[in-house]
Short mmCIF file of all heavy atoms in Angstrom, two decimals:
data_model
loop_
_atom_site.label_atom_id
_atom_site.label_comp_id
_atom_site.label_asym_id
_atom_site.label_seq_id
_atom_site.Cartn_x
_atom_site.Cartn_y
_atom_site.Cartn_z
N THR A 1 0.82 -1.19 0.00
CA THR A 1 0.00 0.00 0.00
C THR A 1 0.86 1.25 0.00
O THR A 1 0.53 2.27 -0.62
CB THR A 1 -0.94 0.00 1.22
OG1 THR A 1 -1.78 -1.14 1.15
CG2 THR A 1 -1.79 1.26 1.26
N ASP A 2 2.01 1.20 0.67
CA ASP A 2 2.91 2.35 0.72
C ASP A 2 3.40 2.71 -0.68
O ASP A 2 3.50 3.90 -1.02
CB ASP A 2 4.10 2.06 1.63
CG ASP A 2 3.71 2.02 3.11
OD1 ASP A 2 2.61 2.52 3.44
OD2 ASP A 2 4.49 1.49 3.91
N GLU A 3 3.72 1.71 -1.48
CA GLU A 3 4.19 1.97 -2.85
C GLU A 3 3.10 2.61 -3.69
O GLU A 3 3.36 3.55 -4.46
CB GLU A 3 4.67 0.67 -3.50
CG GLU A 3 5.94 0.10 -2.90
CD GLU A 3 6.29 -1.25 -3.48
OE1 GLU A 3 5.34 -1.96 -3.91
OE2 GLU A 3 7.47 -1.61 -3.51
N LEU A 4 1.88 2.10 -3.56
CA LEU A 4 0.76 2.66 -4.30
C LEU A 4 0.49 4.09 -3.87
O LEU A 4 0.28 4.98 -4.69
CB LEU A 4 -0.49 1.80 -4.10
CG LEU A 4 -1.78 2.30 -4.75
CD1 LEU A 4 -1.60 2.47 -6.25
CD2 LEU A 4 -2.93 1.36 -4.44
N GLN A 5 0.49 4.33 -2.56
CA GLN A 5 0.26 5.68 -2.08
C GLN A 5 1.34 6.64 -2.55
O GLN A 5 1.05 7.78 -2.91
CB GLN A 5 0.18 5.70 -0.55
CG GLN A 5 -1.12 5.16 0.01
CD GLN A 5 -1.29 5.48 1.48
OE1 GLN A 5 -0.46 6.17 2.07
NE2 GLN A 5 -2.35 4.98 2.07
N ALA A 6 2.58 6.18 -2.57
CA ALA A 6 3.68 7.03 -3.04
C ALA A 6 3.48 7.40 -4.51
O ALA A 6 3.71 8.54 -4.92
CB ALA A 6 5.01 6.32 -2.84
N ALA A 7 3.02 6.42 -5.30
CA ALA A 7 2.77 6.68 -6.72
C ALA A 7 1.63 7.68 -6.90
O ALA A 7 1.72 8.61 -7.71
CB ALA A 7 2.45 5.37 -7.45
N LEU A 8 0.54 7.49 -6.14
CA LEU A 8 -0.60 8.40 -6.23
C LEU A 8 -0.22 9.80 -5.78
O LEU A 8 -0.63 10.80 -6.39
CB LEU A 8 -1.75 7.87 -5.39
CG LEU A 8 -2.44 6.60 -5.91
CD1 LEU A 8 -3.36 6.01 -4.85
CD2 LEU A 8 -3.24 6.91 -7.19
N LYS A 9 0.56 9.89 -4.71
CA LYS A 9 1.01 11.20 -4.23
C LYS A 9 1.82 11.91 -5.30
O LYS A 9 1.63 13.11 -5.55
CB LYS A 9 1.86 11.04 -2.96
CG LYS A 9 1.07 10.77 -1.70
CD LYS A 9 2.01 10.68 -0.50
CE LYS A 9 1.25 10.45 0.78
NZ LYS A 9 2.17 10.33 1.96
N ALA A 10 2.74 11.19 -5.92
CA ALA A 10 3.59 11.81 -6.95
C ALA A 10 2.75 12.30 -8.12
O ALA A 10 2.97 13.41 -8.64
CB ALA A 10 4.63 10.80 -7.42
N ILE A 11 1.77 11.50 -8.53
CA ILE A 11 0.90 11.90 -9.65
C ILE A 11 0.13 13.16 -9.30
O ILE A 11 0.07 14.11 -10.09
CB ILE A 11 -0.07 10.75 -9.99
CG1 ILE A 11 0.69 9.57 -10.61
CG2 ILE A 11 -1.17 11.23 -10.94
CD1 ILE A 11 -0.14 8.30 -10.72
N TRP A 12 -0.47 13.17 -8.11
CA TRP A 12 -1.32 14.31 -7.75
C TRP A 12 -0.50 15.57 -7.43
O TRP A 12 -0.85 16.68 -7.84
CB TRP A 12 -2.20 13.96 -6.56
CG TRP A 12 -3.32 14.95 -6.39
CD1 TRP A 12 -3.35 16.02 -5.55
CD2 TRP A 12 -4.55 14.97 -7.12
NE1 TRP A 12 -4.52 16.71 -5.70
CE2 TRP A 12 -5.29 16.09 -6.66
CE3 TRP A 12 -5.12 14.16 -8.10
CZ2 TRP A 12 -6.55 16.42 -7.14
CZ3 TRP A 12 -6.38 14.48 -8.58
CH2 TRP A 12 -7.08 15.59 -8.12
N GLN A 13 0.60 15.41 -6.72
CA GLN A 13 1.39 16.57 -6.33
C GLN A 13 2.04 17.26 -7.53
O GLN A 13 2.33 18.46 -7.48
CB GLN A 13 2.45 16.16 -5.31
CG GLN A 13 1.88 15.81 -3.95
CD GLN A 13 2.90 15.24 -3.00
OE1 GLN A 13 3.94 14.72 -3.40
NE2 GLN A 13 2.61 15.32 -1.71
N GLN A 14 2.24 16.51 -8.62
CA GLN A 14 2.82 17.11 -9.83
C GLN A 14 1.74 17.64 -10.78
O GLN A 14 2.05 18.23 -11.81
CB GLN A 14 3.66 16.07 -10.57
CG GLN A 14 4.88 15.60 -9.79
CD GLN A 14 5.55 14.39 -10.40
OE1 GLN A 14 5.34 14.08 -11.57
NE2 GLN A 14 6.34 13.68 -9.61
N ARG A 15 0.49 17.50 -10.41
CA ARG A 15 -0.61 17.88 -11.29
C ARG A 15 -0.67 19.40 -11.49
O ARG A 15 -0.70 20.16 -10.55
CB ARG A 15 -1.92 17.40 -10.66
CG ARG A 15 -3.16 17.75 -11.48
CD ARG A 15 -4.41 17.51 -10.65
NE ARG A 15 -5.61 17.70 -11.44
CZ ARG A 15 -6.76 18.15 -10.96
NH1 ARG A 15 -6.85 18.49 -9.68
NH2 ARG A 15 -7.80 18.30 -11.74
N THR A 16 -0.71 19.80 -12.76
CA THR A 16 -0.82 21.22 -13.11
C THR A 16 -1.96 21.49 -14.08
O THR A 16 -2.24 22.64 -14.41
CB THR A 16 0.48 21.73 -13.75
OG1 THR A 16 0.73 20.98 -14.96
CG2 THR A 16 1.66 21.59 -12.81
N ASP A 17 -2.63 20.45 -14.58
CA ASP A 17 -3.56 20.60 -15.70
C ASP A 17 -4.76 21.49 -15.37
O ASP A 17 -5.30 21.45 -14.28
CB ASP A 17 -4.04 19.25 -16.22
CG ASP A 17 -4.44 18.28 -15.10
OD1 ASP A 17 -5.04 18.72 -14.11
OD2 ASP A 17 -4.12 17.11 -15.24
N ARG A 18 -5.14 22.29 -16.33
CA ARG A 18 -6.35 23.12 -16.30
C ARG A 18 -6.74 23.42 -17.74
O ARG A 18 -6.85 24.57 -18.16
CB ARG A 18 -6.14 24.39 -15.46
CG ARG A 18 -4.91 25.19 -15.80
CD ARG A 18 -4.68 26.31 -14.78
NE ARG A 18 -3.61 27.20 -15.21
CZ ARG A 18 -3.78 28.30 -15.92
NH1 ARG A 18 -4.99 28.66 -16.29
NH2 ARG A 18 -2.75 29.05 -16.27
N TYR A 19 -6.96 22.34 -18.48
CA TYR A 19 -7.15 22.44 -19.93
C TYR A 19 -8.32 23.34 -20.31
O TYR A 19 -8.22 24.14 -21.24
CB TYR A 19 -7.35 21.04 -20.54
CG TYR A 19 -7.70 21.10 -22.01
CD1 TYR A 19 -6.72 21.34 -22.96
CD2 TYR A 19 -9.02 20.96 -22.44
CE1 TYR A 19 -7.03 21.43 -24.30
CE2 TYR A 19 -9.35 21.06 -23.78
CZ TYR A 19 -8.35 21.29 -24.70
OH TYR A 19 -8.68 21.38 -26.03
N SER A 20 -9.45 23.21 -19.61
CA SER A 20 -10.62 24.00 -20.00
C SER A 20 -10.34 25.50 -19.91
O SER A 20 -10.87 26.28 -20.71
CB SER A 20 -11.83 23.63 -19.14
OG SER A 20 -12.41 22.43 -19.61
N GLU A 21 -9.55 25.91 -18.93
CA GLU A 21 -9.22 27.33 -18.80
C GLU A 21 -8.23 27.78 -19.87
O GLU A 21 -8.14 28.97 -20.19
CB GLU A 21 -8.63 27.60 -17.42
CG GLU A 21 -9.63 27.42 -16.29
CD GLU A 21 -9.03 27.66 -14.93
OE1 GLU A 21 -7.78 27.75 -14.83
OE2 GLU A 21 -9.80 27.74 -13.95
N GLU A 22 -7.50 26.83 -20.46
CA GLU A 22 -6.48 27.16 -21.45
C GLU A 22 -6.91 26.84 -22.88
O GLU A 22 -6.13 27.00 -23.82
CB GLU A 22 -5.20 26.39 -21.14
CG GLU A 22 -4.60 26.70 -19.77
CD GLU A 22 -3.44 25.79 -19.44
OE1 GLU A 22 -3.38 24.68 -20.02
OE2 GLU A 22 -2.61 26.18 -18.61
N ARG A 23 -8.16 26.41 -23.05
CA ARG A 23 -8.62 25.90 -24.33
C ARG A 23 -8.37 26.89 -25.48
O ARG A 23 -7.87 26.53 -26.54
CB ARG A 23 -10.10 25.54 -24.26
CG ARG A 23 -10.67 24.94 -25.54
CD ARG A 23 -12.13 24.57 -25.38
NE ARG A 23 -12.30 23.32 -24.65
CZ ARG A 23 -12.65 23.23 -23.39
NH1 ARG A 23 -12.89 24.34 -22.69
NH2 ARG A 23 -12.79 22.07 -22.80
N GLU A 24 -8.73 28.13 -25.30
CA GLU A 24 -8.61 29.12 -26.37
C GLU A 24 -7.16 29.35 -26.76
O GLU A 24 -6.83 29.49 -27.94
CB GLU A 24 -9.27 30.44 -25.96
CG GLU A 24 -10.78 30.36 -25.87
CD GLU A 24 -11.41 31.72 -25.66
OE1 GLU A 24 -10.68 32.74 -25.72
OE2 GLU A 24 -12.63 31.77 -25.42
N GLN A 25 -6.26 29.39 -25.77
CA GLN A 25 -4.84 29.59 -26.07
C GLN A 25 -4.23 28.41 -26.80
O GLN A 25 -3.20 28.55 -27.47
CB GLN A 25 -4.04 29.86 -24.78
CG GLN A 25 -4.48 31.10 -24.00
CD GLN A 25 -5.44 30.76 -22.89
OE1 GLN A 25 -6.58 30.39 -23.15
NE2 GLN A 25 -4.97 30.89 -21.64
N ARG A 26 -4.86 27.22 -26.66
CA ARG A 26 -4.28 26.01 -27.24
C ARG A 26 -4.95 25.61 -28.55
O ARG A 26 -4.73 24.52 -29.05
CB ARG A 26 -4.37 24.87 -26.22
CG ARG A 26 -3.64 25.19 -24.93
CD ARG A 26 -3.71 24.07 -23.93
NE ARG A 26 -3.02 22.88 -24.39
CZ ARG A 26 -2.81 21.81 -23.62
NH1 ARG A 26 -3.22 21.81 -22.37
NH2 ARG A 26 -2.19 20.75 -24.09
N GLN A 27 -5.76 26.51 -29.09
CA GLN A 27 -6.41 26.21 -30.37
C GLN A 27 -5.35 26.01 -31.46
O GLN A 27 -4.36 26.73 -31.52
CB GLN A 27 -7.34 27.36 -30.76
CG GLN A 27 -8.63 27.39 -29.99
CD GLN A 27 -9.57 28.49 -30.45
OE1 GLN A 27 -9.25 29.26 -31.35
NE2 GLN A 27 -10.75 28.56 -29.86
N GLY A 28 -5.57 25.03 -32.29
CA GLY A 28 -4.64 24.74 -33.37
C GLY A 28 -3.63 23.66 -33.02
O GLY A 28 -2.95 23.14 -33.91
N GLU A 29 -3.51 23.34 -31.73
CA GLU A 29 -2.60 22.26 -31.35
C GLU A 29 -3.12 20.92 -31.85
O GLU A 29 -4.32 20.68 -31.89
CB GLU A 29 -2.47 22.19 -29.82
CG GLU A 29 -1.69 23.31 -29.20
CD GLU A 29 -1.49 23.08 -27.70
OE1 GLU A 29 -1.86 21.99 -27.22
OE2 GLU A 29 -1.00 24.00 -27.03
#
């Protein structure tokens, strides 16, 4: 469980996504 929690923590703590707020700036990608 410790390994799984460490993986989940790393995924969430590195999370920066906010695609819907950036949609217009990313048009054409």
Side-chain angles (χ1 to χ4, degrees):
T1 299
D2 289 344
E3 291 174 333
L4 176 57
Q5 285 193 4
L8 290 168
K9 283 182 179 179
I11 291 168
W12 195 263
Q13 289 173 338
Q14 295 169 19
R15 180 192 186 212
T16 61
D17 45 39
R18 50 188 188 92
Y19 174 78
S20 281
E21 293 178 348
E22 300 173 337
R23 182 178 282 103
E24 291 188 7
Q25 299 96 290
R26 300 180 66 172
Q27 284 184 358
E29 288 186 7

